[in-house]
Amino acid sequence: MTVYAYVDGPLGRMLLVGRHGEDGGRTALVSLSLPGQKGGAAVEDGWRHAPEAFQEIAGQLDEYFAGRRERFDIPFARSGTEFQRRVWSALEEIPYGATVSYGDIARTVGSSGAGVRAVGTAIGRNPLLVVRPCHRVIGADGSLRGYAAGLERKERLLGLERAV
């Protein structure tokens, strides 16, 4: 069953979407969207508003924004193509407080050269902003590049992690 809730945070009101009961009774996160996000989720007919299903996830987000959590222990619902999942898995390995370039991710997934654009596209389709840290990916020259929720939010997340 698809459930959703809104959680307020320093980046605005976040929309959490999940599948309840898929991971040993835990809610598997499908999407975390921020206000005004390009390609963000929108509540659909048939979804159930269930804030209680997101208590664990909301608690971890609170800890992260308070600087007390560096990694999330949240089940994610499986989505995306095989290539996207490889890229997203590489994002999850970027340490808190660190940044890597799009080219670094491309090399990690075996898609360097022209594959950097494909990596950028896959990163741009990451449905789990904040918890799957695509904000830690920057340009090869160290500049902030692309973030579906806006560069000011990317800069804010990196600042929280002291990576800028």
Side-chain angles (χ1 to χ4, degrees):
M1 164 188 325
T2 301
V3 293
Y4 74 95
Y6 292 99
V7 175
D8 290 319
L11 302 178
R13 191 172 194 213
M14 298 173 281
L15 171 60
L16 307 179
V17 179
R19 291 195 191 114
H20 187 59
E22 285 193 0
D23 188 340
R26 296 169 80 193
T27 298
L29 194 61
V30 171
S31 174
L32 188 158
S33 299
L34 298 168
Q37 173 185 331
K38 177 182 166 192
V43 176
E44 296 181 16
D45 289 339
W47 290 4
R48 185 171 64 85
H49 185 246
E52 70 282 357
F54 295 95
Q55 287 180 342
E56 176 186 7
I57 295 167
Q60 289 188 35
L61 285 164
D62 286 344
E63 291 170 358
Y64 170 79
F65 288 122
R68 297 188 316 267
R69 175 173 288 276
E70 295 183 0
R71 289 189 67 82
F72 291 92
D73 179 25
I74 297 171
F76 300 145
R78 186 176 166 97
S79 67
T81 66
E82 190 274 328
F83 178 74
Q84 288 171 333
R85 289 191 301 273
R86 281 194 350 246
V87 170
W88 297 342
S89 179
L91 296 177
E92 293 167 19
E93 299 305 316
I94 306 169
Y96 180 92
T99 57
V100 301
S101 72
Y102 290 90
D104 293 334
I105 296 292
R107 282 186 289 283
T108 297
V109 301
S111 186
S112 58
V116 173
R117 281 187 196 262
V119 164
T121 299
I123 290 171
R125 292 198 175 132
N126 172 22
L128 300 171
L129 297 191
V130 182
V131 298
R132 184 182 286 141
C134 55
H135 60 275
R136 296 179 188 156
V137 182
I138 61 174
D141 62 0
S143 63
L144 298 186
R145 303 233 187 250
Y147 190 62
L151 289 180
E152 70 281 348
R153 287 190 176 123
K154 182 173 190 163
E155 186 171 28
R156 192 160 181 192
L157 288 168
L158 293 173
L160 171 76
E161 297 182 8
R162 310 279 190 270
V164 291

